[in-house]
Amino acid sequence: MDLSGPPLIRSVRFRQEREADWKRLDELVTKTERTGVHSLSWAEAQSLAQLYQKASNSLSVAREISLDRGLLTYLEALVARAYLAVYAPQETLGGLFARFFTQGAPRAMRACWPHIQLGILCMFLGAALGYGLYFQDTAWYNTFMPPRLAGGRGPGASTEYLRNVIYDEHGWEGLGSFASFLFSHNTRIAIFVFGLGAFAALPAILLTAYNGTILGAFLALHVDRGLGWDVGGWLSIHGVTEISAICIAAGGGIRLGQAVLFPGQYTRRDALWIAGRDAVKLAIVAAIMLVAAAILEGFGRQLIQDMTARYVVGWGMGLLWLAWFVLGGRQRHTRL
Amino acid sequence: MKQETIIPPEGVPVQFNVAGIGARLGAQLIDVVLTFLLILAIVSGFAFAGLGGQWLSGFAALTFFFLRVPYYILAELMWNGATLGKRMLGLRVVSSNGRSLGVYGVVARNLMKEAEVFLPMALIFTISAEDTVSGQISGAWCLMALAVPVFNRRNQRLGDMIAGTYVIHRPEAVLLPDAAATAVEVAEGAFAFQTHQLEHYGAFELQTLEGILRKLKDASKSHRKAQEMEMLKIVEAIRKKIGYSDPVRHEDHEEFLAAFYAAQRRHLESRQLFGDKRADKFHKEKSDETAS
């Protein structure tokens, strides 16, 4: 032992030497928490990073040499707060949107192409089923179709009534009907189909197929009355976009379900995280398409009464979407 | 409270308290109310301007949709992973891999929020007795969405799992004065402890004593009496345990405790430096066990 009076304990000295730095870090972190990293000056931002590293170094030493609980809890909390301030999300919004549209979305679409195809297949099989069953027995129609969605169109309705609905010039309410279309059945289905995918994909597949049967039965009803071509136009103008959106949402859901069912070499949690990177982009694409479909349904369908024009607009939109997915975000291969 | 450790790139593990379901539900409710008020303000502004009817209700539905989703995403991106509701309740979203919370994480967890939180909320109001099948499906979905965060370690909802995030309580840092720093100068000279007297206690007892010393310093005059009784008991217990034969005067009790704390801490910390970590007063039995 030292004879020249009691020397300070090592951990006390440790603390006294560094306390000023911690206080300074505390101030900077408090400022960042209140007003964001962007409000720091260049020098402040630099010292925030340096002081954070020093403090986390101190913490790791203090855990070894100090038994001062007051100090340990303080440092733990300080380093945790500084970590949150230093590793805060730092993105500019403009770059975010541009990157999504030019690269992220089309690449995700191509990466998940098999899953989307599966979604389309479910929809198609469902539609075929609904179509076939209707011609077997028209009573099936009411089994599939929710009454709210049918709006009086069923096997009991007259052909004249069906034709009127297709070429209806009165029911236009602009924004109001746009909104109601957006929140209609299909948006809900798309959200469900995507979300349910995380629970092992089967619910997503079933729901997509069920939605297909509704479509099939609806088509069959009109074909039965000789209105096949007309209802095709009526549906095409927004349906090409909208039904593709549901299939894409289903593709995203199936991608998530695949991660849960077949995680491969990863844990399920990690597999879900990896799958999510593409699936979420698909969900956003589907959302954008649903908004576009609602615009087409709310405005376009009422403004364009000519059947051929409806086909042209509907499938033209479809081609544009396809072009985005197929052509967007490709990198030119640079040969050295 | 559940704790989770994050390892930042610096390699020093940082501990966080995982936010409970109640706190998160509260933050969500605050956010719902805030967005609702904002939309109400906008829509009623238009209503005063003389617009109405079908157009207005459509507009209301649209603002609801186009404000709600971006609100959560932008708020969490701009304000360090906290919406206003989370800020008020001191919560934050963190990324579970120790890196910074990315755009992907924020977008993913808030998109899933539509399916996981808002859809069940809407369904509760719209489930009707007429269509039983879809009612049952909706009910099952609500239950599943609620059950997921209850039954996992970090209270993650599905969106959190996909996004690789979870929600924590924002840590609060208060630097307490060093109990040993003052004690050394004041008192260590007055009471001398032999090394064998310091072999009895471990870190747990030391830190309990640290807490008692802090409490004594903060105590007001009125509580003094009760605390002197407590101090007497502690001093006697320590004297008996370590075999400290000199009598300690009544008014010196606090100084004695401070001096003992300083000496004990110096001893334990120097033992720790040599790889002899003593967790509590049973350290001797434990080391005997491992030796035999």
Side-chain angles (χ1 to χ4, degrees):
Chain A
M1 277 278 151
D2 204 305
L3 292 176
S4 60
L8 288 176
I9 301 177
R10 185 188 290 261
S11 64
V12 175
R13 243 172 27 234
F14 171 82
R15 173 179 167 156
Q16 283 175 352
E17 279 161 15
R18 290 162 180 77
E19 208 170 312
D21 275 353
W22 300 339
K23 290 251 167 71
R24 173 92 183 107
L25 178 62
D26 203 339
E27 275 165 30
L28 284 177
V29 168
T30 311
K31 186 175 174 188
T32 324
E33 277 170 358
R34 206 168 294 138
T35 52
V37 170
H38 303 287
S39 69
L40 297 183
S41 69
W42 192 82
E44 280 176 327
Q46 199 185 24
S47 57
L48 172 68
Q50 279 171 356
L51 289 172
Y52 162 63
Q53 289 190 338
K54 272 192 193 167
S56 67
N57 199 346
S58 302
L59 173 63
S60 121
V61 175
R63 276 178 183 154
E64 288 308 314
I65 69 156
S66 180
L67 289 172
D68 180 0
R69 196 168 46 179
L71 171 75
L72 285 172
T73 43
Y74 170 74
L75 267 186
E76 294 268 2
L78 179 67
V79 170
R81 278 174 62 204
Y83 161 76
L84 293 177
V86 171
Y87 288 91
Q90 287 151 11
E91 283 284 341
T92 57
L93 286 184
L96 205 68
F97 284 117
R99 218 172 53 224
F100 176 77
F101 282 106
T102 58
Q103 296 172 10
R107 281 180 192 164
M109 288 294 292
R110 290 198 292 271
C112 289
W113 185 227
H115 304 89
I116 297 169
Q117 275 178 318
L118 199 57
I120 295 173
L121 186 71
C122 294
M123 179 70 83
F124 183 78
L125 286 181
L129 181 74
Y131 195 88
L133 284 177
Y134 176 85
F135 281 110
Q136 218 170 45
D137 181 359
T138 53
W140 281 108
Y141 183 88
N142 292 325
T143 319
F144 297 138
M145 189 67 98
R148 231 178 306 160
L149 198 63
R153 291 171 291 182
S158 69
T159 309
E160 204 46 45
Y161 175 76
L162 293 179
R163 178 182 296 281
N164 273 339
V165 174
I166 294 176
Y167 298 104
D168 179 18
E169 295 178 44
H170 307 296
W172 192 53
E173 286 135 9
L175 199 58
S177 51
F178 166 59
S180 64
F181 289 129
L182 185 59
F183 299 106
S184 67
H185 175 78
N186 285 336
T187 309
R188 215 171 250 202
I189 289 285
I191 292 175
F192 256 132
V193 154
F194 178 74
L196 283 175
F199 293 111
L202 196 66
I205 289 175
L206 287 180
L207 203 59
T208 314
Y210 167 66
N211 210 41
T213 55
I214 295 179
L215 182 71
F218 184 74
L219 277 177
L221 166 71
H222 287 82
V223 169
D224 197 25
R225 305 295 175 85
L227 287 170
W229 185 243
D230 305 78
V231 83
W234 187 80
L235 274 177
S236 286
I237 189 164
H238 70 284
V240 173
T241 302
E242 189 162 2
I243 289 167
S244 314
I246 294 176
C247 292
I248 289 169
I254 291 168
R255 179 82 188 83
L256 290 180
Q258 184 204 14
V260 173
L261 285 177
F262 312 108
Q265 58 183 330
Y266 301 102
T267 64
R268 290 207 156 68
R269 193 186 299 263
D270 288 345
L272 210 52
W273 184 79
I274 294 165
R277 295 196 82 90
D278 283 336
V280 162
K281 288 186 185 120
L282 294 198
I284 298 174
V285 168
I288 293 169
M289 290 176 78
L290 283 171
V291 172
I295 294 172
L296 285 173
E297 195 176 6
F299 298 93
R301 189 164 69 191
Q302 269 68 23
L303 295 177
I304 304 168
Q305 290 290 329
D306 179 49
M307 197 170 53
T308 332
R310 282 179 172 179
Y311 272 104
V312 171
V313 171
W315 290 95
M317 276 307 285
L319 271 182
L320 285 181
W321 293 119
L322 197 64
W324 180 33
F325 303 143
V326 172
L327 303 176
R330 292 206 184 265
Q331 244 163 5
R332 195 167 302 230
H333 189 71
T334 46
R335 288 214 182 88
L336 294 172
Chain B
M1 198 174 277
K2 296 182 201 171
Q3 285 211 324
E4 269 296 313
T5 305
I6 284 184
I7 302 183
E10 284 76 24
V12 180
V14 183
Q15 294 223 320
F16 289 106
N17 291 328
V18 175
I21 310 261
R24 293 181 60 183
L25 214 62
Q28 180 65 65
L29 279 181
I30 293 175
D31 282 328
V32 167
V33 170
L34 284 179
T35 42
F36 180 74
L37 285 180
L38 177 68
I39 290 158
L40 199 69
I42 294 174
V43 171
S44 58
F46 275 97
F48 275 121
L51 299 157
Q54 181 81 35
W55 191 89
L56 195 68
S57 68
F59 182 74
L62 274 186
T63 36
F64 198 66
F65 193 70
F66 285 110
L67 278 180
R68 187 175 68 192
V69 182
Y71 161 72
Y72 289 99
I73 294 177
L74 292 184
E76 288 186 0
L77 275 180
M78 296 293 110
W79 294 327
N80 274 359
T83 58
L84 288 174
K86 288 202 184 73
R87 250 174 116 99
M88 284 181 201
L89 295 187
L91 304 182
R92 257 212 56 170
V93 183
V94 290
S95 147
S96 51
N97 64 359
R99 301 303 164 103
S100 69
L101 183 63
V103 179
Y104 162 70
V106 172
V107 172
R109 72 188 299 281
N110 285 307
L111 277 187
M112 278 303 281
K113 186 173 260 181
E114 283 300 307
E116 248 185 306
V117 180
F118 291 118
L119 204 61
M121 280 211 277
L123 284 174
I124 288 169
F125 294 112
T126 53
I127 287 176
S128 54
E130 54 178 275
D131 41 14
T132 46
V133 179
S134 68
Q136 277 164 5
I137 295 175
S138 316
W141 170 251
C142 295
L143 279 182
M144 285 228 242
L146 279 178
V148 170
V150 176
F151 291 109
N152 73 72
R153 194 161 47 101
R154 296 161 162 175
N155 294 348
Q156 285 174 305
R157 52 183 180 81
L158 264 181
D160 280 319
M161 289 183 190
I162 295 173
T165 56
Y166 58 98
V167 183
I168 51 141
H169 284 286
R170 204 174 44 215
E172 304 281 342
V174 185
L175 183 55
L176 299 168
D178 193 333
T182 45
V184 171
E185 294 154 27
V186 177
E188 210 181 359
F191 302 92
F193 298 96
Q194 305 298 315
T195 309
H196 69 85
Q197 290 177 319
L198 300 172
E199 299 285 358
H200 298 278
Y201 290 115
F204 175 77
E205 290 78 24
L206 181 77
Q207 287 171 349
T208 310
L209 184 56
E210 180 189 339
I212 291 168
L213 286 173
R214 287 237 160 77
K215 230 168 49 187
L216 281 175
K217 220 155 253 155
D218 299 339
S220 56
K221 286 271 183 289
S222 55
H223 291 131
R224 198 72 203 173
K225 199 80 190 159
Q227 259 160 2
E228 263 164 22
M229 290 300 294
E230 203 185 329
M231 244 193 314
L232 177 70
K233 272 192 225 157
I234 297 167
V235 169
E236 286 312 312
I238 290 176
R239 280 187 56 207
K240 202 171 143 208
K241 179 98 180 169
I242 69 174
Y244 189 86
S245 47
D246 300 350
V248 179
R249 282 182 306 158
H250 216 65
E251 54 272 30
D252 288 344
H253 275 172
E254 193 173 347
E255 271 181 28
F256 173 80
L257 288 182
F260 179 67
Y261 170 78
Q264 180 72 72
R265 187 167 132 194
R266 184 198 295 278
H267 183 69
L268 283 178
E269 284 178 355
S270 74
R271 293 310 309 162
Q272 188 163 316
L273 273 186
F274 290 106
D276 179 15
K277 269 196 179 187
R278 296 175 177 178
D280 50 33
K281 61 185 173 188
F282 304 113
H283 63 90
K284 260 190 202 138
E285 285 92 323
K286 270 179 202 148
S287 62
D288 288 348
E289 259 170 47
T290 49
S292 59

